[in-house]
Amino acid sequence: MFSVTSMANDFMTAKLIDGKALADSIKARVKEQAAQLQNSRGITPGLATVLVGENPASKTYVASKQKTVQELEMYSVGHTLPADISQNDLLNIIRDLGADAKIHGILVQLPLPAHIDQETVLAAIPLEKDVDGFHPINVGRLAMLKTLSVINRAPLFVPCTPAGCLALIDASGTKIEGARAVVIGRSNIVGLPVAFLLLHRNATVTICHSHTQNLPAVVGQADIVVAAIGKPRFVQADWIKPGATVIDVGINEIPDATKKSGKRLIGDVDFENAQNVAGAITPVPGGVGPMTIAMLMQNTLTAAQRAGDLIA
Ligand code: NAD
């Protein structure tokens, strides 16, 4: 339905799912609603980011989240903490942010250093400020079926990257209900929540991981493929069922002498070849990445609207 036959050859050319354009439209709406909240109630949505250590990728992600909050004229606070901070000191900072009325969302950038217990830290974020959706209660609610539409049972926030993946599938026009979906990767932050969201939307979901046997054959059955592995060009074009919708979550740095930086980002899917087979596909960069940030902005706005008793 979304593919067109190229004039030059017989390959299909996938519809490109433009994550940047979709993210831009979500951010524009968030900016407008944030301004309305400020005008009508004097509430400026506030996001606190907490970065522990020097992981270069984490630093980049946090910087772009902060920059976007500022672009949307919301309030932002950034804590950059040394890698050897004690768990107690980190918990105290999170408790202070939890008590700060100007802060509606708290994002702790993962992964945390090994000496810190991630779950203890995530559980210290007040549920109503858990804009990343990783508080154990929000995760548990997401895992339970038939809760998403029930107020007081639904997670207060859905994790941003998984929510972005679903929005991209919807934007492509792909029908999720009844589709066969294969999620490659079972991490707590991407693969597992994506699988739950697809299940909630009545897809038939298979979760693949590093122990999966005959992965190409499993992927070949999928109408929807979500790749969240962290290995460059891992998913091959000839694994993909013709016409399938492919969401590439991977962010991998590879050397590229033609770039000033000497490197560039690519996804987990062999995009160049897969675009000739898939019906719709996300690029990297410009696919899932911008949507993650847009969903974080949306969640921060939602948290502020709830703080103002404007929504449930
Ligand atoms: P992770 O390392 O926590 O998980 C990787 C998953 O891939 C694991 O579940 C593992 O079982 C699976 N896997 C590894 N080797 C495999 C194999 N040979 N066959 C099948 N499955 C295999 O990674 P993550 O945090 O889930 O991130 C995955 C990718 O997504 C990374 O490239 C990361 O940078 C990217 N990411 C992007 C965004 C975004 O906003 N675009 C957000 C988060 C993560």
Side-chain angles (χ1 to χ4, degrees), residues 60-61 250-254 256 259 263-267 284-285:
T60 311
Y61 298 148
I251 300 179
N252 307 289
E253 231 175 56
I254 58 159
D256 184 343
K259 302 280 176 200
K263 57 196 179 186
R264 73 183 164 104
L265 295 179
I266 63 167
V284 177

Side-chain angles (χ1 to χ4, degrees), residues 96-112:
D96 287 347
L97 292 169
D100 184 342
K102 292 206 296 293
I103 297 298
H104 303 99
I106 301 171
L107 176 136
V108 176
Q109 186 67 39
L110 302 177
L112 290 168

Side-chain angles (χ1 to χ4, degrees), residues 57 61 160-162 184-191 207-212 215 227-231 234 239 248-252 266-268 287-293:
Y61 298 148
C160 302
T161 301
I184 318 172
R186 58 174 167 183
S187 72
N188 288 334
I189 63 170
V190 189
I207 305 174
C208 299
H209 45 77
S210 52
H211 298 260
T212 297
L215 183 62
I229 309 148
K231 295 191 170 164
F234 181 78
W239 300 4
D248 190 350
V249 186
I251 300 179
N252 307 289
I266 63 167
D268 286 346
V288 176
M291 286 300 292
T292 296
I293 296 186

Side-chain angles (χ1 to χ4, degrees), residues 288-311:
V288 176
M291 286 300 292
T292 296
I293 296 186
M295 291 309 191
L296 177 65
M297 299 303 122
Q298 174 64 65
N299 281 353
T300 304
L301 171 69
T302 300
Q305 288 171 327
R306 286 193 186 126
D309 282 331
L310 293 178
I311 56 169

Side-chain angles (χ1 to χ4, degrees), residues 4 20 33 158 283 285:
V4 292
K20 185 177 178 309
Q33 292 184 2
V158 170

Side-chain angles (χ1 to χ4, degrees), residues 153-193:
R153 293 271 176 84
L156 285 181
F157 300 97
V158 170
C160 302
T161 301
C165 291
L166 269 281
L168 288 165
I169 297 169
D170 283 333
S172 75
T174 305
K175 189 173 177 220
I176 297 178
E177 183 171 355
R180 277 177 176 259
V182 167
V183 180
I184 318 172
R186 58 174 167 183
S187 72
N188 288 334
I189 63 170
V190 189
L192 219 48

